[in-house]
Every structure is written in C-alpha cells, then in structure tokens.
Amino acid sequence: MSKAAQLDRDAVRIGDLVIGDGRPVVVIGGRDARWLRLRGDGGPPVDGAETVQDWPGDSSKDGSGADESFVDGAVAEARARWAGPLLVEPATVADLSAVARHADGVVVGAAWAADHDLVRAAARLGLPVVLQRGSGRHGRPATLEEWLAAVDDCVGEGNEAVVLCESGGRGEPQDAAPDLGLMRAARERAGRPVLAGLGGDGGLADAAVAAGADGLLIGPGAPERALAAAHEAATVMAALVRPDDPETLDAARGAIDRVDAALATLLERRAALAGRIQRLKPVGGFRGRDMDRERRLVAAMARRAPSLGAGLLAPIMNAVIEAGLRLSEERRDGEERG
C-alpha cells in the first residue's frame, strides 16, 4: 500500500494535496507544491522556486553524478524549507533512497520515463508517482501506448497512485511544449489525473485547464509571469470550465472564491465594453438605455442559468448595467474636466 493511498483512479493524494476527480486545479512549482529536480551532473538540484546553495561539484565515486550523502542532504534541506507537498525528480536510481526518506511524491522525468527498470524502482517506493511522457524508440517522443505502458509498470509494482504529466516528451522542463490533445486522450484512456508541463511559458495555462488538465507543472526557474499565468488559469479559467462538488465548508468557500474571481474578471471586461458602447451610441448614459435590449439580454442569460431564471437575474443585471453607466459617466466627466 502506498504511503499516500490513492483515493480512486481519478484522484491521487500527494501529502495534503489531492489531484484530480474534480478537485481544484493545482500548480506544482507554484504555491501548491514544490518540485525538486536532482541533476545527474553533480551540479545543484533545482526546484521551481530556489536553488540549493553550496552544492559541491561532481562528488560521486564513479563520476556519474552527485554523492549520495550530498543528495540526501539537499533533499532534506528542501524538505526543511517547504512545509507543503514536496515532489522530487531523481537523476539516477541511487537518488531514490533520499526521495523515499524526505519526499511526498516522486517525479519520473521525461529523460528516463522510458526506462522500465527505473520506473518500476520509483514505483516500489510506495510514494505517488508523477509520470512524464518520455522518449520512445530512436529518441522520438513516446506514443500514448508507450506512455501508458509505463503506468502499467507502476501498477505492476502495486502502486496505483499515478499522475500523468504531458510535457511534450522532452527531457528539459524549460523546453516543454505539451500536446494537449494527447494529454486529454491519456486522461480518458487511463482514468488518472493529468498535469500539463508548461516549462517556463505560462501562455498555454488557460488552454491546458480548458483541455482538462488537473494541474500545471511549472519548470525550474520559470519567470514570475509564468507562475502568475498558471495561478490565474487555475483560478479563473478553472471556475469557468470545471464543475465543483466540494464536500467541506472550506472547500465550498474556496470554490466560491474562484467563481467570484472569474465574475470580477468578466465584470471588469464588461465595464470596458460598456464604456466603448457609450462612446459609439448617439445618446449615451442613462438617457440612452435600451430597455428592450436589456430584457432580451436577461432572457438569454436565463437560458444559461435556469435555476435563477429571469426574475432573479433581472435585478442583478440592472445593478451591473447601472454600475457600468455610472463608471462611464464618471470617466466622461473626468475627461471633460481634464
């Protein structure tokens, strides 16, 4: 039985973080979980926020990587600095003992996801496994079948707590370019949570959430704007496209907060468009209100929100419209005074 038991095939718990099964979209490498990559060249391990300092050069006895004691110290240091879920990506099998002692989950990186022996060894730790799509034959990105075969390797070792991560099959996270169609197909075929590896580019964050990603994996050293885009997508876009079924008061309040964030974003956009309309209309402001159009607007919204209906939506939209008109008039008066 894994240390962090799988809730079911559609959700995996890593520390106190639950991924999948309609839970909130998580950002790994951001505020939800820390991701530590161990490098096989003797250099410092890197995570999404920090670099472990004072890492010695190549201290291994065979020259192939960092000495095991230094790896253990680095992972222990990362564990001490971060109270939340910690995922560690090992560089070699020798790193797995340190991962087992200090981490909440193991990341099987794209660079070695095609090595079945390494995948099985990681699965035997009993920790949840984040399994990136790696390289297939002749160095090309793995096919869906090859990727899912690695899932079977984990399951064969008695570890069902597997999260899939689509990063384009590339070994270096900063070069990630996820295939969102393949990610979606993997979700449907395997019935397991999926992450979109975005590298250092947050431009695909909204698209990844809309495509069904349960989480976003941000590459080491990603710029702040990429993290901000990922968190915004996990908040606003997720509220628009993912249904929530919270089971606790705190979870329900969190879901409400995400919906309110989406509402605020849309209201700001609506106010900007309404201001544009006021400039284009022959008669603007309150004198130019078109009540017939407003009634049609409410009726159209009622078809999308039948539980509220036109009766409850009408006063809400009246308040929204009047707020936009007041803002437009305030801005016009300010321009005239200026």
Side-chain angles (χ1 to χ4, degrees):
M1 192 65 156
S2 63
K3 292 181 180 178
Q6 185 191 23
L7 303 180
D8 54 46
R9 285 188 59 149
D10 290 324
V12 171
R13 184 184 298 279
I14 302 178
D16 59 3
L17 188 69
V18 179
I19 304 175
D21 194 29
R23 266 50 170 214
V25 174
V26 303
V27 178
I28 296 175
R31 59 174 171 249
D32 295 319
R34 189 62 52 87
W35 171 32
L36 179 73
R37 285 188 89 212
L38 299 175
R39 295 195 334 203
D41 58 4
V46 209
D47 66 23
E50 305 173 57
T51 299
V52 177
Q53 302 298 323
D54 303 322
W55 186 259
D58 188 349
S59 304
S60 64
K61 294 179 176 59
D62 61 3
S64 63
D67 183 84
E68 192 172 334
S69 64
F70 289 116
V71 170
D72 189 87
V75 180
E77 182 182 345
R79 172 77 285 168
R81 290 198 313 267
W82 175 251
L86 176 66
L87 297 99
V88 178
E89 178 183 336
T92 70
V93 170
D95 298 333
L96 291 177
S97 59
V99 176
R101 280 191 289 272
H102 305 294
D104 299 299
V106 57
V107 177
V108 177
W112 60 305
D115 187 322
H116 295 279
D117 290 337
L118 292 174
V119 172
R120 293 187 187 106
R124 284 196 295 272
L125 296 181
L127 294 170
V129 177
V130 174
L131 183 62
Q132 291 190 325
R133 181 167 69 103
S135 297
R137 295 176 182 174
H138 310 300
R140 58 164 173 72
T143 64
L144 177 58
E145 279 66 29
E146 289 169 334
W147 191 15
L148 296 184
V151 177
D152 292 337
D153 287 337
C154 294
V155 173
E157 298 297 333
N159 193 337
E160 287 274 358
V162 180
V163 178
L164 295 167
C165 179
E166 164 50 18
S167 302
R170 304 190 184 191
E172 292 302 317
Q174 63 269 24
D175 298 327
D179 182 332
L180 299 181
L182 188 68
M183 179 198 74
R184 189 179 183 90
R187 182 75 168 88
E188 293 173 353
R189 282 275 300 274
R192 299 178 187 278
V194 293
L195 307 176
L198 302 181
D201 182 6
L204 287 177
D206 283 331
V209 172
D214 297 293
L216 306 172
L217 185 71
I218 305 300
E224 185 58 37
R225 64 179 179 275
L227 283 171
H231 285 298
E232 187 73 358
T235 301
V236 175
M237 179 57 71
L240 295 173
V241 300
R242 295 171 67 90
D244 265 308
D245 188 19
E247 297 177 352
T248 68
L249 179 60
D250 285 345
R253 285 174 170 163
I256 283 283
D257 289 347
R258 291 188 292 276
V259 171
D260 287 346
L263 277 174
T265 302
L266 293 174
L267 287 170
E268 179 72 7
R269 186 174 302 175
R270 192 189 195 286
L273 291 170
R276 179 65 175 164
I277 287 173
Q278 295 310 308
R279 294 184 180 91
L280 295 172
K281 289 174 69 173
V283 178
F286 283 86
R287 291 186 299 112
R289 287 185 72 170
D290 183 342
M291 304 308 293
D292 286 338
R293 172 173 166 74
E294 290 181 21
R295 280 189 287 271
R296 292 195 300 274
L297 179 151
V298 168
M301 292 183 71
R303 290 193 289 273
R304 293 181 179 273
S307 62
L308 292 173
L312 292 177
L313 284 169
I316 294 172
M317 290 312 301
N318 182 66
V320 169
I321 291 166
E322 289 190 353
L325 291 172
R326 291 192 192 95
L327 177 61
S328 178
E329 290 189 348
E330 289 172 3
R331 287 177 173 173
R332 184 192 61 201
D333 292 344
E335 290 170 0
E336 290 176 353
R337 287 195 298 270

PDB file of all heavy atoms in Angstrom, residues 194-230:
ATOM      1  N   VAL A 194      -4.184  14.176 -14.743  1.00  0.00           N
ATOM      2  CA  VAL A 194      -3.165  14.594 -15.699  1.00  0.00           C
ATOM      3  C   VAL A 194      -2.689  16.003 -15.374  1.00  0.00           C
ATOM      4  O   VAL A 194      -3.465  16.861 -14.939  1.00  0.00           O
ATOM      5  CB  VAL A 194      -3.686  14.548 -17.155  1.00  0.00           C
ATOM      6  CG1 VAL A 194      -3.944  13.120 -17.592  1.00  0.00           C
ATOM      7  CG2 VAL A 194      -4.940  15.397 -17.322  1.00  0.00           C
ATOM      8  N   LEU A 195      -1.393  16.218 -15.586  1.00  0.00           N
ATOM      9  CA  LEU A 195      -0.786  17.533 -15.473  1.00  0.00           C
ATOM     10  C   LEU A 195      -0.311  17.964 -16.851  1.00  0.00           C
ATOM     11  O   LEU A 195       0.066  17.130 -17.681  1.00  0.00           O
ATOM     12  CB  LEU A 195       0.416  17.506 -14.529  1.00  0.00           C
ATOM     13  CG  LEU A 195       0.237  16.929 -13.131  1.00  0.00           C
ATOM     14  CD1 LEU A 195       1.590  16.915 -12.411  1.00  0.00           C
ATOM     15  CD2 LEU A 195      -0.774  17.733 -12.339  1.00  0.00           C
ATOM     16  N   ALA A 196      -0.291  19.277 -17.066  1.00  0.00           N
ATOM     17  CA  ALA A 196       0.325  19.839 -18.265  1.00  0.00           C
ATOM     18  C   ALA A 196       1.637  20.485 -17.843  1.00  0.00           C
ATOM     19  O   ALA A 196       1.640  21.397 -17.010  1.00  0.00           O
ATOM     20  CB  ALA A 196      -0.588  20.866 -18.925  1.00  0.00           C
ATOM     21  N   GLY A 197       2.751  20.004 -18.386  1.00  0.00           N
ATOM     22  CA  GLY A 197       4.041  20.610 -18.105  1.00  0.00           C
ATOM     23  C   GLY A 197       4.247  21.813 -19.003  1.00  0.00           C
ATOM     24  O   GLY A 197       4.305  21.674 -20.228  1.00  0.00           O
ATOM     25  N   LEU A 198       4.348  22.990 -18.420  1.00  0.00           N
ATOM     26  CA  LEU A 198       4.402  24.225 -19.199  1.00  0.00           C
ATOM     27  C   LEU A 198       5.805  24.795 -19.331  1.00  0.00           C
ATOM     28  O   LEU A 198       5.982  25.819 -19.992  1.00  0.00           O
ATOM     29  CB  LEU A 198       3.494  25.282 -18.553  1.00  0.00           C
ATOM     30  CG  LEU A 198       2.020  24.912 -18.399  1.00  0.00           C
ATOM     31  CD1 LEU A 198       1.258  26.068 -17.781  1.00  0.00           C
ATOM     32  CD2 LEU A 198       1.406  24.510 -19.728  1.00  0.00           C
ATOM     33  N   GLY A 199       6.791  24.163 -18.721  1.00  0.00           N
ATOM     34  CA  GLY A 199       8.128  24.727 -18.759  1.00  0.00           C
ATOM     35  C   GLY A 199       8.137  26.110 -18.128  1.00  0.00           C
ATOM     36  O   GLY A 199       7.583  26.314 -17.060  1.00  0.00           O
ATOM     37  N   GLY A 200       8.764  27.053 -18.817  1.00  0.00           N
ATOM     38  CA  GLY A 200       8.810  28.413 -18.307  1.00  0.00           C
ATOM     39  C   GLY A 200       7.848  29.344 -18.999  1.00  0.00           C
ATOM     40  O   GLY A 200       7.950  30.570 -18.859  1.00  0.00           O
ATOM     41  N   ASP A 201       6.890  28.796 -19.757  1.00  0.00           N
ATOM     42  CA  ASP A 201       5.953  29.605 -20.532  1.00  0.00           C
ATOM     43  C   ASP A 201       4.546  29.379 -20.016  1.00  0.00           C
ATOM     44  O   ASP A 201       4.013  28.280 -20.115  1.00  0.00           O
ATOM     45  CB  ASP A 201       6.054  29.225 -22.007  1.00  0.00           C
ATOM     46  CG  ASP A 201       5.135  30.047 -22.897  1.00  0.00           C
ATOM     47  OD1 ASP A 201       4.499  30.995 -22.384  1.00  0.00           O
ATOM     48  OD2 ASP A 201       5.054  29.744 -24.091  1.00  0.00           O
ATOM     49  N   GLY A 202       3.942  30.432 -19.471  1.00  0.00           N
ATOM     50  CA  GLY A 202       2.571  30.312 -18.976  1.00  0.00           C
ATOM     51  C   GLY A 202       1.517  30.561 -20.032  1.00  0.00           C
ATOM     52  O   GLY A 202       0.327  30.555 -19.737  1.00  0.00           O
ATOM     53  N   GLY A 203       1.929  30.742 -21.289  1.00  0.00           N
ATOM     54  CA  GLY A 203       0.977  31.098 -22.335  1.00  0.00           C
ATOM     55  C   GLY A 203      -0.060  30.035 -22.622  1.00  0.00           C
ATOM     56  O   GLY A 203      -1.132  30.347 -23.146  1.00  0.00           O
ATOM     57  N   LEU A 204       0.262  28.769 -22.318  1.00  0.00           N
ATOM     58  CA  LEU A 204      -0.688  27.689 -22.568  1.00  0.00           C
ATOM     59  C   LEU A 204      -1.500  27.311 -21.331  1.00  0.00           C
ATOM     60  O   LEU A 204      -2.244  26.341 -21.359  1.00  0.00           O
ATOM     61  CB  LEU A 204       0.046  26.450 -23.084  1.00  0.00           C
ATOM     62  CG  LEU A 204       0.569  26.497 -24.523  1.00  0.00           C
ATOM     63  CD1 LEU A 204       1.325  25.224 -24.845  1.00  0.00           C
ATOM     64  CD2 LEU A 204      -0.569  26.697 -25.507  1.00  0.00           C
ATOM     65  N   ALA A 205      -1.357  28.075 -20.254  1.00  0.00           N
ATOM     66  CA  ALA A 205      -2.010  27.696 -19.000  1.00  0.00           C
ATOM     67  C   ALA A 205      -3.525  27.630 -19.150  1.00  0.00           C
ATOM     68  O   ALA A 205      -4.155  26.652 -18.738  1.00  0.00           O
ATOM     69  CB  ALA A 205      -1.617  28.668 -17.890  1.00  0.00           C
ATOM     70  N   ASP A 206      -4.130  28.656 -19.733  1.00  0.00           N
ATOM     71  CA  ASP A 206      -5.588  28.656 -19.908  1.00  0.00           C
ATOM     72  C   ASP A 206      -6.034  27.498 -20.792  1.00  0.00           C
ATOM     73  O   ASP A 206      -7.015  26.803 -20.496  1.00  0.00           O
ATOM     74  CB  ASP A 206      -6.053  29.982 -20.511  1.00  0.00           C
ATOM     75  CG  ASP A 206      -6.086  31.118 -19.503  1.00  0.00           C
ATOM     76  OD1 ASP A 206      -6.289  30.847 -18.301  1.00  0.00           O
ATOM     77  OD2 ASP A 206      -5.904  32.274 -19.904  1.00  0.00           O
ATOM     78  N   ALA A 207      -5.309  27.301 -21.900  1.00  0.00           N
ATOM     79  CA  ALA A 207      -5.673  26.225 -22.822  1.00  0.00           C
ATOM     80  C   ALA A 207      -5.546  24.864 -22.151  1.00  0.00           C
ATOM     81  O   ALA A 207      -6.377  23.975 -22.374  1.00  0.00           O
ATOM     82  CB  ALA A 207      -4.791  26.288 -24.066  1.00  0.00           C
ATOM     83  N   ALA A 208      -4.515  24.691 -21.328  1.00  0.00           N
ATOM     84  CA  ALA A 208      -4.320  23.407 -20.647  1.00  0.00           C
ATOM     85  C   ALA A 208      -5.466  23.121 -19.685  1.00  0.00           C
ATOM     86  O   ALA A 208      -5.966  21.992 -19.617  1.00  0.00           O
ATOM     87  CB  ALA A 208      -2.986  23.413 -19.910  1.00  0.00           C
ATOM     88  N   VAL A 209      -5.884  24.140 -18.934  1.00  0.00           N
ATOM     89  CA  VAL A 209      -7.005  23.949 -17.998  1.00  0.00           C
ATOM     90  C   VAL A 209      -8.281  23.653 -18.778  1.00  0.00           C
ATOM     91  O   VAL A 209      -9.052  22.757 -18.426  1.00  0.00           O
ATOM     92  CB  VAL A 209      -7.172  25.181 -17.097  1.00  0.00           C
ATOM     93  CG1 VAL A 209      -8.444  25.075 -16.262  1.00  0.00           C
ATOM     94  CG2 VAL A 209      -5.957  25.340 -16.178  1.00  0.00           C
ATOM     95  N   ALA A 210      -8.501  24.398 -19.866  1.00  0.00           N
ATOM     96  CA  ALA A 210      -9.701  24.162 -20.677  1.00  0.00           C
ATOM     97  C   ALA A 210      -9.686  22.776 -21.303  1.00  0.00           C
ATOM     98  O   ALA A 210     -10.745  22.182 -21.518  1.00  0.00           O
ATOM     99  CB  ALA A 210      -9.803  25.233 -21.766  1.00  0.00           C
ATOM    100  N   ALA A 211      -8.486  22.244 -21.581  1.00  0.00           N
ATOM    101  CA  ALA A 211      -8.374  20.911 -22.174  1.00  0.00           C
ATOM    102  C   ALA A 211      -8.542  19.798 -21.147  1.00  0.00           C
ATOM    103  O   ALA A 211      -8.559  18.622 -21.515  1.00  0.00           O
ATOM    104  CB  ALA A 211      -7.024  20.768 -22.883  1.00  0.00           C
ATOM    105  N   GLY A 212      -8.628  20.150 -19.870  1.00  0.00           N
ATOM    106  CA  GLY A 212      -8.907  19.147 -18.847  1.00  0.00           C
ATOM    107  C   GLY A 212      -7.771  18.837 -17.907  1.00  0.00           C
ATOM    108  O   GLY A 212      -7.857  17.871 -17.138  1.00  0.00           O
ATOM    109  N   ALA A 213      -6.705  19.634 -17.916  1.00  0.00           N
ATOM    110  CA  ALA A 213      -5.590  19.383 -17.002  1.00  0.00           C
ATOM    111  C   ALA A 213      -6.056  19.507 -15.557  1.00  0.00           C
ATOM    112  O   ALA A 213      -6.745  20.454 -15.187  1.00  0.00           O
ATOM    113  CB  ALA A 213      -4.449  20.355 -17.267  1.00  0.00           C
ATOM    114  N   ASP A 214      -5.655  18.550 -14.737  1.00  0.00           N
ATOM    115  CA  ASP A 214      -5.941  18.608 -13.301  1.00  0.00           C
ATOM    116  C   ASP A 214      -4.915  19.448 -12.559  1.00  0.00           C
ATOM    117  O   ASP A 214      -5.118  19.792 -11.392  1.00  0.00           O
ATOM    118  CB  ASP A 214      -5.958  17.196 -12.711  1.00  0.00           C
ATOM    119  CG  ASP A 214      -7.061  16.341 -13.317  1.00  0.00           C
ATOM    120  OD1 ASP A 214      -8.234  16.660 -13.079  1.00  0.00           O
ATOM    121  OD2 ASP A 214      -6.732  15.359 -14.013  1.00  0.00           O
ATOM    122  N   GLY A 215      -3.821  19.752 -13.237  1.00  0.00           N
ATOM    123  CA  GLY A 215      -2.783  20.564 -12.622  1.00  0.00           C
ATOM    124  C   GLY A 215      -1.806  21.057 -13.668  1.00  0.00           C
ATOM    125  O   GLY A 215      -1.788  20.579 -14.811  1.00  0.00           O
ATOM    126  N   LEU A 216      -0.990  22.028 -13.286  1.00  0.00           N
ATOM    127  CA  LEU A 216       0.011  22.622 -14.161  1.00  0.00           C
ATOM    128  C   LEU A 216       1.373  22.456 -13.498  1.00  0.00           C
ATOM    129  O   LEU A 216       1.536  22.787 -12.318  1.00  0.00           O
ATOM    130  CB  LEU A 216      -0.292  24.102 -14.398  1.00  0.00           C
ATOM    131  CG  LEU A 216      -1.703  24.409 -14.918  1.00  0.00           C
ATOM    132  CD1 LEU A 216      -1.953  25.913 -14.927  1.00  0.00           C
ATOM    133  CD2 LEU A 216      -1.919  23.814 -16.304  1.00  0.00           C
ATOM    134  N   LEU A 217       2.348  21.953 -14.252  1.00  0.00           N
ATOM    135  CA  LEU A 217       3.705  21.778 -13.751  1.00  0.00           C
ATOM    136  C   LEU A 217       4.568  22.868 -14.359  1.00  0.00           C
ATOM    137  O   LEU A 217       4.703  22.956 -15.584  1.00  0.00           O
ATOM    138  CB  LEU A 217       4.230  20.400 -14.134  1.00  0.00           C
ATOM    139  CG  LEU A 217       5.595  20.010 -13.576  1.00  0.00           C
ATOM    140  CD1 LEU A 217       5.511  19.746 -12.080  1.00  0.00           C
ATOM    141  CD2 LEU A 217       6.142  18.771 -14.291  1.00  0.00           C
ATOM    142  N   ILE A 218       5.125  23.716 -13.512  1.00  0.00           N
ATOM    143  CA  ILE A 218       5.932  24.841 -13.964  1.00  0.00           C
ATOM    144  C   ILE A 218       7.406  24.477 -13.829  1.00  0.00           C
ATOM    145  O   ILE A 218       7.843  23.976 -12.793  1.00  0.00           O
ATOM    146  CB  ILE A 218       5.625  26.109 -13.143  1.00  0.00           C
ATOM    147  CG1 ILE A 218       4.129  26.405 -13.190  1.00  0.00           C
ATOM    148  CG2 ILE A 218       6.418  27.295 -13.660  1.00  0.00           C
ATOM    149  CD1 ILE A 218       3.576  26.635 -14.572  1.00  0.00           C
ATOM    150  N   GLY A 219       8.184  24.738 -14.864  1.00  0.00           N
ATOM    151  CA  GLY A 219       9.573  24.336 -14.900  1.00  0.00           C
ATOM    152  C   GLY A 219      10.444  25.101 -13.919  1.00  0.00           C
ATOM    153  O   GLY A 219      10.104  26.209 -13.488  1.00  0.00           O
ATOM    154  N   PRO A 220      11.587  24.513 -13.564  1.00  0.00           N
ATOM    155  CA  PRO A 220      12.521  25.187 -12.656  1.00  0.00           C
ATOM    156  C   PRO A 220      12.962  26.539 -13.213  1.00  0.00           C
ATOM    157  O   PRO A 220      13.230  26.676 -14.402  1.00  0.00           O
ATOM    158  CB  PRO A 220      13.703  24.213 -12.590  1.00  0.00           C
ATOM    159  CG  PRO A 220      13.126  22.891 -12.964  1.00  0.00           C
ATOM    160  CD  PRO A 220      12.059  23.186 -13.961  1.00  0.00           C
ATOM    161  N   GLY A 221      13.017  27.524 -12.345  1.00  0.00           N
ATOM    162  CA  GLY A 221      13.483  28.835 -12.753  1.00  0.00           C
ATOM    163  C   GLY A 221      12.525  29.595 -13.645  1.00  0.00           C
ATOM    164  O   GLY A 221      12.915  30.570 -14.296  1.00  0.00           O
ATOM    165  N   ALA A 222      11.259  29.169 -13.712  1.00  0.00           N
ATOM    166  CA  ALA A 222      10.296  29.870 -14.562  1.00  0.00           C
ATOM    167  C   ALA A 222      10.123  31.307 -14.081  1.00  0.00           C
ATOM    168  O   ALA A 222      10.139  31.576 -12.877  1.00  0.00           O
ATOM    169  CB  ALA A 222       8.951  29.150 -14.538  1.00  0.00           C
ATOM    170  N   PRO A 223       9.945  32.257 -15.013  1.00  0.00           N
ATOM    171  CA  PRO A 223       9.749  33.649 -14.595  1.00  0.00           C
ATOM    172  C   PRO A 223       8.453  33.825 -13.830  1.00  0.00           C
ATOM    173  O   PRO A 223       7.515  33.022 -13.964  1.00  0.00           O
ATOM    174  CB  PRO A 223       9.724  34.417 -15.923  1.00  0.00           C
ATOM    175  CG  PRO A 223       9.354  33.405 -16.954  1.00  0.00           C
ATOM    176  CD  PRO A 223       9.918  32.102 -16.473  1.00  0.00           C
ATOM    177  N   GLU A 224       8.387  34.886 -13.053  1.00  0.00           N
ATOM    178  CA  GLU A 224       7.214  35.138 -12.223  1.00  0.00           C
ATOM    179  C   GLU A 224       5.947  35.254 -13.064  1.00  0.00           C
ATOM    180  O   GLU A 224       4.871  34.855 -12.633  1.00  0.00           O
ATOM    181  CB  GLU A 224       7.432  36.409 -11.403  1.00  0.00           C
ATOM    182  CG  GLU A 224       6.321  36.706 -10.411  1.00  0.00           C
ATOM    183  CD  GLU A 224       6.101  35.584  -9.401  1.00  0.00           C
ATOM    184  OE1 GLU A 224       7.102  34.974  -8.977  1.00  0.00           O
ATOM    185  OE2 GLU A 224       4.933  35.311  -9.061  1.00  0.00           O
ATOM    186  N   ARG A 225       6.068  35.793 -14.266  1.00  0.00           N
ATOM    187  CA  ARG A 225       4.873  35.947 -15.106  1.00  0.00           C
ATOM    188  C   ARG A 225       4.279  34.589 -15.495  1.00  0.00           C
ATOM    189  O   ARG A 225       3.062  34.463 -15.667  1.00  0.00           O
ATOM    190  CB  ARG A 225       5.186  36.764 -16.356  1.00  0.00           C
ATOM    191  CG  ARG A 225       6.172  36.134 -17.314  1.00  0.00           C
ATOM    192  CD  ARG A 225       6.411  37.006 -18.532  1.00  0.00           C
ATOM    193  NE  ARG A 225       7.363  36.419 -19.448  1.00  0.00           N
ATOM    194  CZ  ARG A 225       8.676  36.533 -19.346  1.00  0.00           C
ATOM    195  NH1 ARG A 225       9.188  37.252 -18.348  1.00  0.00           N
ATOM    196  NH2 ARG A 225       9.481  35.963 -20.229  1.00  0.00           N
ATOM    197  N   ALA A 226       5.143  33.570 -15.645  1.00  0.00           N
ATOM    198  CA  ALA A 226       4.639  32.232 -15.964  1.00  0.00           C
ATOM    199  C   ALA A 226       3.889  31.649 -14.778  1.00  0.00           C
ATOM    200  O   ALA A 226       2.824  31.034 -14.936  1.00  0.00           O
ATOM    201  CB  ALA A 226       5.792  31.316 -16.369  1.00  0.00           C
ATOM    202  N   LEU A 227       4.427  31.833 -13.580  1.00  0.00           N
ATOM    203  CA  LEU A 227       3.731  31.371 -12.380  1.00  0.00           C
ATOM    204  C   LEU A 227       2.408  32.108 -12.207  1.00  0.00           C
ATOM    205  O   LEU A 227       1.386  31.503 -11.866  1.00  0.00           O
ATOM    206  CB  LEU A 227       4.616  31.582 -11.155  1.00  0.00           C
ATOM    207  CG  LEU A 227       5.750  30.587 -10.958  1.00  0.00           C
ATOM    208  CD1 LEU A 227       6.676  31.050  -9.842  1.00  0.00           C
ATOM    209  CD2 LEU A 227       5.212  29.200 -10.654  1.00  0.00           C
ATOM    210  N   ALA A 228       2.420  33.422 -12.448  1.00  0.00           N
ATOM    211  CA  ALA A 228       1.186  34.200 -12.304  1.00  0.00           C
ATOM    212  C   ALA A 228       0.135  33.728 -13.293  1.00  0.00           C
ATOM    213  O   ALA A 228      -1.052  33.601 -12.947  1.00  0.00           O
ATOM    214  CB  ALA A 228       1.487  35.690 -12.509  1.00  0.00           C
ATOM    215  N   ALA A 229       0.553  33.439 -14.523  1.00  0.00           N
ATOM    216  CA  ALA A 229      -0.400  32.957 -15.534  1.00  0.00           C
ATOM    217  C   ALA A 229      -0.972  31.600 -15.134  1.00  0.00           C
ATOM    218  O   ALA A 229      -2.165  31.333 -15.333  1.00  0.00           O
ATOM    219  CB  ALA A 229       0.289  32.864 -16.893  1.00  0.00           C
ATOM    220  N   ALA A 230      -0.129  30.735 -14.577  1.00  0.00           N
ATOM    221  CA  ALA A 230      -0.604  29.417 -14.157  1.00  0.00           C
ATOM    222  C   ALA A 230      -1.616  29.538 -13.027  1.00  0.00           C
ATOM    223  O   ALA A 230      -2.667  28.883 -13.041  1.00  0.00           O
ATOM    224  CB  ALA A 230       0.588  28.553 -13.726  1.00  0.00           C
TER     225      ALA A 230
END
